[in-house]
C-alpha cells in the first residue's frame, strides 16, 4: 500500500508521470517530457512554457505514456531515470508527499524545487455546507477510488462510509448523478471531469486536511541534469514570487507553501528579478543620487549601509517590496520621490545585485518590486 498511495484511475505512486526539462545552449531551447496520461498534463505543459519563457528559450515537448497500460503495479520507477538520461534533463509531474520526512523519489534521480502543491480533494455540490469529511451528515456515503489514500480516512471519520469505485470517473459519475453526496479523488481528475461534463460551476473542490492528502509536484533529474535543474529552480522561484506561477498551475494545483523545499534551501535558488543592464544603470543612478549619504560602496555614511549582513539579514525579515517602498517613497532624503520610476527601479536592481541577488533575463518593474515578497537576505562576500 505504501507504494500505491495515489493513481490516475488505476494509478500507483510510481505511475505518476513526469515533466522533464533540458537546456541546450546551441539551440536555445528547453525540452520537456510530459506524461500524456496524467490528468494534469495541461498544467505541466504550461509550466514548461512558462519556465522556458522565463529563460528566454523556446519549448520542446516530449510526450510519454505513464499509464503502464493498466498495470496495477504502475509505471516502473526505473523509467524516470531512463527518461532523464535519454530524453530529457528533468522529469516534471512527480508527486512527493508533503508529510514525508524525506522525498520518496525513484533511485538514480534527484528532485527539483516543487512547482505545484496538489493532492486529494473533497468534491461536493455547490450549496453544500460540507467542506470536510467531518461536516457530512452521519451515514453519508463518500465515493473513493480503489487503492488511494482517501480509503484510509473513514476509520477516523465514523460519520461517513466508503463507496469504492475502480476509477475516478466512475466515482465522479455517481456524484453528479446524486447517488452520493461527496467524492474524494485527485484534484486534477476532479477538475478535468467536471469541466468535461460542464459541471464545474455546480460543484466545489475542497483541499483535504488528512494524512497523505497533500503532495508537492517536482521535476526529477539525473546526473547530467544538474545545470538544467538549477535553471529550472531559479525560473520556478521567480515565477512563484512574481505571482505568475499561481495562474500557470491553476486550477489543477496551487503554488507550493513556503518551507516545502526539497532539493535545496530557497536562498540557494534566488529568483532573478532584474537584468544586468538594469543593475549597471542603477549603479550610475546610485552614484548620482545616493552615494553622498550611503557611501560609494553602500557601506553607509550619514545614511545607513545598504549592503551587507547587518542591512539584509534574516532577522530583519525585509522583503524586496519593503526596501523598494522606502527607496521610492522616502529617497533621496533631501527630495523624496523626486526621481523617475525607471530610476528607482534601476537603483533597486543595483541594491539587489550588491546584496547577492542574481541577474536574469526578465526586467524588474515597479509593479513587481512593489508586490515582491522575496526575502532580501545578504549572500555576498
Amino acid at each position: 500500500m505504501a507504494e500505491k498511495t495515489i493513481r490516475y484511475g488505476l494509478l500507483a505512486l510510481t505511475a505518476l508521470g513526469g515533466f522533464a526539462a533540458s537546456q541546450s545552449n546551441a539551440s536555445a531551447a528547453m525540452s520537456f517530457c510530459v506524461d500524456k496520461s496524467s490528468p494534469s498534463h495541461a498544467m505541466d505543459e504550461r509550466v514548461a512554457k512558462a519556465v522556458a519563457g522565463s529563460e528566454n528559450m523556446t519549448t520542446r515537448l516530449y510526450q510519454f505514456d505513464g499509464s503502464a497500460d493498466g498495470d496495477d503495479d504502475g509505471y516502473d520507477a526505473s523509467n524516470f531515470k531512463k527518461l532523464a538520461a535519454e530524453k530529457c534533463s528533468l522529469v516534471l509531474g512527480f508527486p512527493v508527499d508533503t508529510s514525508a520526512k524525506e522525498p520518496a523519489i525513484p533511485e538514480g534521480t534527484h528532485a527539483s524545487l516543487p512547482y505545484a502543491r496538489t493532492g486529494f480533494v473533497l468534491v461536493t455540490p455547490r450549496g453544500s455546507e460540507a467542506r470536510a469529511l467531518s461536516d457530512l451528515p452521519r451515514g453519508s456515503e463518500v465515493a473513493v477510488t480503489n487503492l488511494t489514500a482517501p480509503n484510509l480516512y473513514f476509520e477516523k471519520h465514523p460519520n461517513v462510509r466508503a463507496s469504492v469505485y475502480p476509477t475516478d470517473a466512475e466515482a465522479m459519475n455517481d456524484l453528479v448523478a446524486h447517488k452520493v453526496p461527496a467524492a474524494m479523488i485527485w484534484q486534477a481528475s476532479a477538475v478535468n471531469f467536471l469541466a468535461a461534463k460542464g459541471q464545474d460551476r455546480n460543484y466545489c473542490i475542497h483541499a483535504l486536511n488528512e494524512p497523505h492528502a497533500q503532495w508537492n509536484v517536482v521535476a526529477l533529474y539525473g546526473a547530467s541534469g544538474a545545470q538544467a535543474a538549477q535553471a529550472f529552480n531559479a525560473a520556478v522561484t521567480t515565477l512563484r514570487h512574481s505571482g505568475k506561477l499561481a495562474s500557470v498551475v491553476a486550477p489543477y494545483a496551487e503554488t507550493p507553501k513556503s518551507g516545502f523545499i526539497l532539493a535545496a534551501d530557497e536562498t540557494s535558488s534566488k529568483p532573478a528579478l532584474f537584468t544586468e543592464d538594469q543593475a549597471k544603470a542603477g549603479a550610475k543612478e546610485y552614484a548620482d543620487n545616493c552615494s553622498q549619504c550611503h557611501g560609494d560602496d553602500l557601506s553607509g555614511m550619514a545614511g545607513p549601509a545598504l549592503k551587507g549582513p547587518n542591512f539584509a539579514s534574516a532577522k530583519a525579515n525585509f522583503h524586496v517590496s519593503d526596501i523598494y517602498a522606502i527607496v521610492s517613497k522616502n529617497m533621496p532624503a533631501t527630495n523624496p520621490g523626486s526621481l523617475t520610476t525607471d530610476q528607482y527601479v534601476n537603483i533597486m536592481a543595483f541594491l539587489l545585485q550588491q546584496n547577492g541577488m542574481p541577474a536574469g533575463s526578465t526586467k524588474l518593474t515597479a509593479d513587481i518590486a512593489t508586490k515582491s515578497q522575496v526575502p532580501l537576505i545578504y549572500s555576498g562576500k
Side-chain angles (χ1 to χ4, degrees), residues 80-334:
F80 291 113
K81 180 180 178 181
K82 185 176 181 181
L83 280 171
E86 299 179 3
K87 301 293 184 181
C88 2
S89 297
L90 300 164
V91 181
L92 285 194
F94 194 85
V96 178
D97 192 341
T98 61
S99 64
K101 292 183 179 180
E102 294 184 6
I105 59 174
E107 185 177 354
T109 67
H110 306 279
S112 73
L113 301 184
Y115 62 88
R117 183 180 174 89
T118 189
F120 294 100
V121 295
L122 182 70
V123 188
T124 58
R126 190 169 297 279
S128 170
E129 295 183 358
R131 295 177 174 272
L133 287 174
S134 57
D135 297 332
L136 290 165
R138 181 170 294 276
S140 297
E141 286 194 13
V142 179
V144 294
T145 308
N146 187 35
L147 296 177
T148 60
N151 286 275
L152 304 173
Y153 306 154
F154 293 96
E155 183 175 352
K156 178 182 173 183
H157 298 279
N159 59 306
V160 295
R161 62 179 186 269
S163 183
V164 184
Y165 298 82
T167 67
D168 288 346
E170 289 171 274
M172 289 295 291
N173 269 324
D174 271 11
L175 175 64
V176 299
H178 308 293
K179 294 181 180 180
V180 292
M184 285 190 293
I185 67 171
W186 192 252
Q187 182 174 345
S189 294
V191 169
N192 288 339
F193 181 91
L194 293 174
K197 298 291 184 179
Q199 294 283 338
D200 44 323
R201 294 188 178 184
N202 298 327
Y203 288 84
C204 296
I205 295 175
H206 310 286
L208 284 166
N209 184 22
E210 301 288 346
H212 313 296
Q214 294 296 307
W215 297 69
N216 283 325
V217 185
V218 303
L220 301 177
Y221 61 97
S224 62
Q227 185 175 355
Q230 185 176 8
F232 178 83
N233 287 344
V236 165
T237 305
T238 298
L239 291 167
R240 181 160 72 90
H241 285 302
S242 70
K244 294 180 180 178
L245 187 61
S247 61
V248 171
V249 301
Y252 299 101
E254 291 72 45
T255 52
K257 293 185 178 180
S258 178
F260 289 95
I261 304 301
L262 303 175
D265 187 88
E266 188 171 7
T267 57
S268 67
S269 295
K270 294 182 178 181
L273 299 178
F274 61 92
T275 66
E276 188 68 34
D277 287 344
Q278 285 183 302
K280 289 180 180 179
K284 183 179 185 305
E285 299 293 354
Y286 174 87
D288 293 343
N289 299 284
C290 315
S291 60
Q292 55 269 43
C293 290
H294 299 280
D296 292 339
D297 59 356
L298 292 83
S299 60
M301 292 175 62
L306 299 178
K307 172 184 177 180
N310 293 326
F311 165 68
S313 69
K315 290 183 179 180
N317 195 31
F318 281 126
H319 300 84
V320 170
S321 58
D322 300 322
I323 302 303
Y324 183 71
I326 295 172
V327 170
S328 61
K329 295 179 181 179
N330 298 293
M331 297 293 144
T334 55

Side-chain angles (χ1 to χ4, degrees), residues 19 35 78 103 111 126 189 217 219 229 263 271 279 290 302 341 344 363 367 376:
F19 149 84
D35 180 3
S78 64
R126 190 169 297 279
S189 294
V217 185
C290 315
T341 298
Y344 282 121
K363 283 189 174 183
D367 184 59
L376 183 53

